[in-house]
Amino acid sequence: MSSSTSPNDPSSHLENLMQAGQQSLQRFNDALSAAMGVSSKSSAPLGQMFSPLGFAMDMQREYLNQVFRFWNATAIRTLTFGTKSEIQPARGDKRFKDDAWQDSPYYDLLKQSYLLTSQQLNEFVERAQVDDRTKLQLRFYARQFIDAMSPANFPATNPEVIRKALETRSTSLATGMTNLIEDIR
């Protein structure tokens, strides 16, 4: 940070955040390479060597293709006033049962983005070239992460919570926070 920027300068905070993100990504790449048993001094023949970079590029390309299809379907659905989502939750998934998840373009977009990203993370885990025990661990952690990041878990992105908060004039949110504090104690 230069001497001309103040400690409260938003651009310096953004720069620090970007650097932290890059460092985290590098640590993740290092951990992924280690988990996959890949090192730069591999003695495997070139044709048989697993490339984490190639694997990541393939996964990224597949993800971008899915995102393109998703946005294309969303645009067509919007222009034709269609209401059917292309990406649907798994059978029995009750998190998206509220009609707003299908009827509102905003909530439908949140739901579909989440489901697409979840599918991609699951596929990434399934394609990881690791032993069975590690794959089971990866599946467990991926499932925990996917479930935790559901837009249905956050008051600002859950139509049922927002509707209830409006109906109760935010009493439901206050009660929920009180319950959370008590649970933490």
Side-chain angles (χ1 to χ4, degrees):
M1 186 161 46
S2 70
S3 59
S4 64
T5 60
S6 73
N8 294 327
D9 179 30
S11 62
S12 73
H13 289 298
L14 181 60
E15 184 178 338
N16 290 338
L17 183 63
M18 297 286 284
Q19 288 175 354
Q22 290 172 347
Q23 291 170 353
S24 296
L25 181 60
Q26 183 60 46
R27 286 188 200 117
F28 176 79
N29 287 338
D30 294 343
L32 183 61
S33 295
M36 292 181 173
V38 176
S39 69
S40 60
K41 300 177 184 173
S42 176
S43 59
L46 185 60
Q48 296 176 355
M49 190 165 74
F50 173 75
S51 166
L53 180 60
F55 176 73
M57 289 174 62
D58 286 345
M59 292 298 296
Q60 182 69 20
R61 185 176 33 259
E62 287 179 32
Y63 178 72
L64 291 175
N65 282 334
Q66 289 177 6
V67 167
F68 174 76
R69 286 193 306 267
F70 163 68
W71 281 107
N72 190 34
T74 301
I76 290 170
R77 191 175 61 251
T78 301
L79 294 173
T80 61
F81 301 104
T83 59
K84 185 70 174 157
S85 297
E86 183 175 320
I87 304 168
Q88 294 296 320
R91 181 178 284 197
D93 188 345
K94 297 179 182 179
R95 296 174 295 180
F96 304 108
K97 67 180 186 212
D98 191 277
D99 290 338
W101 290 110
Q102 284 73 36
D103 299 340
S104 167
Y106 170 74
Y107 291 116
D108 188 43
L109 179 63
L110 277 176
K111 176 189 71 174
Q112 288 191 57
S113 297
Y114 163 76
L115 293 172
L116 177 63
T117 303
S118 299
Q119 288 174 359
Q120 185 68 22
L121 182 57
N122 281 324
E123 185 175 332
F124 181 76
V125 167
E126 291 307 313
R127 291 182 56 188
Q129 295 182 0
V130 296
D131 61 88
D132 291 340
R133 181 174 185 266
T134 303
K135 188 163 285 199
L136 283 173
Q137 290 174 332
L138 287 173
R139 284 179 185 142
F140 173 78
Y141 291 123
R143 179 85 261 145
Q144 296 300 311
F145 179 76
I146 288 168
D147 288 345
M149 296 312 296
S150 170
N153 291 341
F154 300 95
T157 56
N158 186 324
E160 292 176 270
V161 172
I162 292 171
R163 189 178 309 109
K164 188 69 168 177
L166 290 172
E167 289 171 0
T168 64
R169 303 184 106 191
S170 298
T171 304
S172 60
L173 293 176
T175 302
M177 288 304 293
T178 301
N179 292 340
L180 175 64
I181 292 168
E182 287 301 316
D183 288 347
I184 291 173
R185 285 184 187 156

